[in-house]
Amino acid sequence: MTPPVQPPQPLALYGPDFAADPQGHYRRLREHGPLAPVRIAPGIDALLVTDYQAAVDLLRDTHTFTKDPRAWQATVPDDSPVLPMLGYRPTALFSDGDVHARYRDAINDSLALIEPHVLRAEVARVAQMLIGEFAATGSGDLIAQYARRLPVHVFVTWFGVPPGDSERIVNGIAGMFNSAEDAATAYADLVEVVTDLVADRRARPRRDLTSYLLAHPANLDNDETVRQITLIMSAGHDPTTNLIGNALLHMLTDVRYAGSLHGGAMTAHEAINEVLWQDPPLANFAAHYPRHDTEFHGVRLRAGQLLLVSYAAANTQSVPDLSDPGVRSGASAHLAWSAGPHRCPAKQPALLIAMTAIEQLTSQLCDAELDVPVNGLKWRPGPFHRALVRLPVRFTPVDMTAETDRHDAAEGASDGPSAVSIGP
């Protein structure tokens, strides 16, 4: 008698082995077909969609699948480190239909207040300030000293966060994505900061996105407002940080970009596009749950079962020839921004932040090069992101005192910058 075929064992995506070689893991997973079993934390399993077409089908199928995780969440320990990323909250990310539309409208209308030319100027100002803090030393860590700090300055401006709380926001978001033992504590601290901010703006509105969300026709209550803000921050900060870091690494190590840091033909836009195809900063996410027992791309699914989309695996399965200049300039069919009704609403501001940040840095530190071998770089563990721990570089020291003083004077004359336009 032929023994029964045993289902494959889930492949772990949360340890250092996965962080060091995600593409190797995706190749092994593809051997099981378009969906494969993975373990995203101790005792927490999921099916990972690695096939491009299956991913697109899942992201667009609102009839078969729901974004509401509560049925699945009831089967998960309350202290699971993935719950800060996957556990239910009243936000656009975890809702469907009219509820999703209500939250999504509030977010879209708020983000529409961000003036691109003002945002670009604000990012350039912050970039100059941050670069000036280490440019004279001839070395730096482009993650800790630049990529991680720049987006949070923008969020502080957008939402009116007290500057003293910016580090708590960064640490809270990073803790969520790491999905380690302290993830719940990190998320709770992030919520506390935003809860205090929302309570203050409910009583004393100002010209910022927090006040606008509270006044939006969607009539969000305080908790709903807190959750939309934490969603925008978490979806915007860590992935943007990672996009900046991954694109800078790409420019520093890909021979086609030789000379790009001092006026070469390959641009920041091209580096970002290639990273979004090959090494997206949000690698695995888009949690979906079958509404009922069903079959999807030849795989039997249980109602409430967790499915995740691997943007990274799906992209690399269908990546075009990016060495072709015609393809480089226009390829945008990757899934780094997701697809369907839950497609990222902040694509344009995120691209503008990343592109401006890279252009500012490469124009100032034009001879920067890695200060460690490529194989000496470390990646943060975790199932969801693709994120460097550090990006150490060396370069010819630059005295930016005069430039920093000029920006400080301009800021003082205008009573500080604002990246949003709320109206009179």
Side-chain angles (χ1 to χ4, degrees):
M1 176 181 292
T2 303
V5 177
Q6 296 298 317
Q9 289 298 306
L11 191 62
L13 301 187
Y14 57 90
D17 291 344
F18 172 68
D21 182 26
Q23 290 300 332
H25 283 64
Y26 299 143
R27 284 192 294 272
R28 291 170 59 190
L29 290 168
R30 285 199 194 95
E31 296 173 0
H32 302 298
L35 289 76
V38 295
R39 184 155 292 161
I40 58 175
I44 307 298
D45 293 347
L47 285 176
L48 188 70
V49 180
T50 61
D51 176 80
Y52 183 92
Q53 188 57 55
V56 172
D57 292 344
L58 175 67
L59 293 167
R60 292 176 176 171
D61 187 351
T62 59
H63 176 73
T64 307
F65 298 96
T66 178
K67 294 286 290 179
D68 189 327
R70 281 176 284 190
W72 166 81
Q73 189 173 338
T75 69
V76 176
D78 292 340
D79 60 353
S80 172
V82 299
L83 286 183
M85 289 291 287
L86 300 179
Y88 175 78
R89 294 179 287 281
T91 72
L93 183 62
F94 301 108
S95 56
D96 308 300
D98 291 343
V99 175
H100 171 253
R102 174 172 169 257
Y103 292 144
R104 179 91 176 192
D105 287 348
I107 292 172
N108 286 344
D109 292 347
S110 299
L111 294 177
L113 296 171
I114 301 168
E115 299 282 0
H117 69 284
V118 179
L119 176 58
R120 180 183 289 276
E122 168 68 355
V123 174
R125 181 192 72 84
V126 174
Q128 291 286 328
M129 177 191 73
L130 295 176
I131 295 167
E133 291 179 0
F134 63 89
T137 67
S139 65
D141 174 5
L142 299 185
I143 301 299
Q145 294 176 276
Y146 191 66
R148 186 173 296 140
R149 295 180 60 195
L150 190 147
V152 78
H153 278 275
V154 176
F155 285 129
V156 164
T157 301
W158 285 359
F159 291 100
V161 178
D165 287 334
S166 61
E167 198 65 25
R168 292 174 68 189
I169 290 173
V170 172
N171 292 338
I173 295 169
M176 290 172 60
F177 276 87
N178 288 342
S179 296
E181 292 180 357
D182 61 349
T185 301
Y187 177 68
D189 195 49
L190 172 65
V191 169
E192 182 178 323
V193 172
V194 179
T195 298
D196 291 344
L197 173 67
V198 168
D200 179 77
R201 292 302 189 271
R202 180 72 79 180
R204 291 173 290 277
R206 298 185 188 177
R207 291 171 56 85
D208 53 39
L209 292 189
T210 302
S211 301
Y212 181 78
L213 276 168
L214 286 166
H216 190 272
N219 290 320
L220 304 179
D221 63 27
N222 278 19
D223 184 61
E224 289 176 317
T225 306
V226 168
R227 302 302 176 168
Q228 307 322 306
I229 292 174
T230 56
L231 171 61
I232 296 170
M233 287 183 172
S234 58
H237 183 273
D238 229 48
T240 303
T241 292
N242 302 341
L243 180 56
I244 295 169
N246 294 359
L248 285 170
L249 173 62
H250 193 54
M251 297 181 76
L252 288 164
T253 55
D254 191 314
V255 295
R256 293 175 300 121
Y257 287 82
S260 292
L261 300 189
H262 45 84
M266 301 290 277
T267 66
H269 178 271
E270 290 166 322
I272 288 172
N273 188 56
E274 293 191 359
V275 162
L276 290 171
W277 269 108
Q278 300 169 351
D279 222 7
L282 188 61
N284 306 298
F285 202 52
H288 285 73
Y289 310 86
R291 297 178 185 273
H292 45 75
D293 292 352
T294 188
E295 183 173 307
F296 180 74
H297 281 258
V299 178
R300 295 296 303 173
L301 303 177
R302 304 185 313 275
Q305 186 172 7
L306 171 60
L307 277 71
L308 297 172
V309 173
S310 178
Y311 305 130
N315 282 355
T316 52
Q317 182 198 44
S318 60
V319 63
D321 180 8
L322 295 174
S323 64
D324 180 343
V327 172
R328 282 204 315 268
S329 62
S332 59
H334 58 72
L335 296 178
W337 305 108
S338 193
H342 287 268
R343 182 179 177 86
C344 176
K347 172 184 174 181
Q348 294 307 321
L351 283 173
L352 183 57
I353 292 170
M355 202 170 310
T356 305
I358 293 169
E359 290 171 347
Q360 289 292 317
L361 187 129
T362 56
S363 68
Q364 296 295 334
L365 309 180
C366 57
D367 64 347
E369 58 184 15
L370 276 180
D371 204 19
V372 297
V374 175
N375 59 11
L377 294 171
K378 302 295 183 184
W379 297 86
R380 285 166 51 195
F384 305 115
H385 55 209
R386 181 63 172 160
L388 284 162
V389 175
R390 299 176 63 244
L391 184 57
V393 295
R394 57 178 179 269
F395 47 84
T396 301
V398 179
D399 183 1
M400 294 182 60
T401 304
E403 184 71 12
T404 302
D405 289 346
R406 185 180 70 80
H407 277 281
D408 289 346
E411 178 183 344
S414 63
D415 195 28
S418 176
V420 298
S421 176
I422 306 293

